[in-house]
Amino acid sequence: MIKETDVFKIGKLTKPHGVKGEVSFLFDNDIFDKVECPYLICLIDNIFVPFFVIEYRFKGKDTALVTFEDIDSEEKARRLSGLEVYFPRKYMVDSDNEDMDYSWSYFLGFKVVDSVVGEIGEITAVDENTM
């Protein structure tokens, strides 16, 4: 079972593209293109479900068209519309890419430790509305 602490949010599936099951993916982190991982994770009814990626192609700077295994029709793709997309943290740990751009959601679950006070707490949310 995949836990919330094992993943971080990278975007959202928006709508089907065409009739062969391709779905539009609006992302705020293109980590899926920089780190080798065979699947992306979607949150369905509060359960993290892996979907294996067959192929993807970029449609813009923050949109990709993704084809998932076993999603081969417009109807099946439509069921994925609106789902949040997550990336497994374990693939980030295995990555040796020093030029990686992390989204703020990557840091959820990290513990904050002060050198004087000690442990302050865990990062549970990030306000991205202002700098």
Side-chain angles (χ1 to χ4, degrees), residues 20-70:
K20 296 185 179 181
E22 204 170 36
V23 64
S24 187
F25 170 37
L26 182 63
F27 58 87
D28 56 19
N29 186 328
D30 64 350
I31 186 69
F32 64 94
D33 187 47
K34 296 177 181 175
V35 175
E36 193 69 32
C37 178
Y39 60 92
L40 294 175
I41 299 166
C42 292
L43 184 61
I44 302 175
D45 295 331
N46 291 320
I47 298 172
F48 292 100
V49 180
F51 284 86
F52 289 87
V53 177
I54 294 174
E55 67 180 349
Y56 64 88
R57 58 194 166 101
F58 289 98
K59 187 177 175 186
K61 70 178 182 85
D62 59 359
T63 305
L65 301 175
V66 182
T67 304
F68 292 111
E69 191 173 281
D70 297 325

Side-chain angles (χ1 to χ4, degrees), residues 50-111:
F51 284 86
F52 289 87
V53 177
I54 294 174
E55 67 180 349
Y56 64 88
R57 58 194 166 101
F58 289 98
K59 187 177 175 186
K61 70 178 182 85
D62 59 359
T63 305
L65 301 175
V66 182
T67 304
F68 292 111
E69 191 173 281
D70 297 325
I71 305 297
D72 55 6
S73 70
E74 181 180 4
E75 181 183 326
K76 289 179 182 178
R78 189 171 307 287
R79 291 185 213 148
L80 301 178
S81 295
L83 295 180
E84 294 178 341
V85 179
Y86 295 80
F87 193 82
R89 288 182 189 277
K90 71 180 183 178
Y91 285 92
M92 293 295 294
V93 174
D94 295 340
S95 172
D96 59 358
N97 189 344
E98 294 177 12
D99 297 328
M100 195 65 63
D101 289 331
Y102 295 98
S103 68
W104 287 112
S105 60
Y106 172 77
F107 298 98
L108 297 178
F110 278 68
K111 296 217 183 289

Side-chain angles (χ1 to χ4, degrees), residues 4-9 86 89 103-111 122-128:
E4 188 171 3
T5 55
D6 297 336
V7 298
F8 64 99
K9 186 178 173 189
Y86 295 80
R89 288 182 189 277
S103 68
W104 287 112
S105 60
Y106 172 77
F107 298 98
L108 297 178
F110 278 68
K111 296 217 183 289
E122 182 177 316
I123 299 173
T124 58
V126 176
D127 180 3
E128 295 183 53

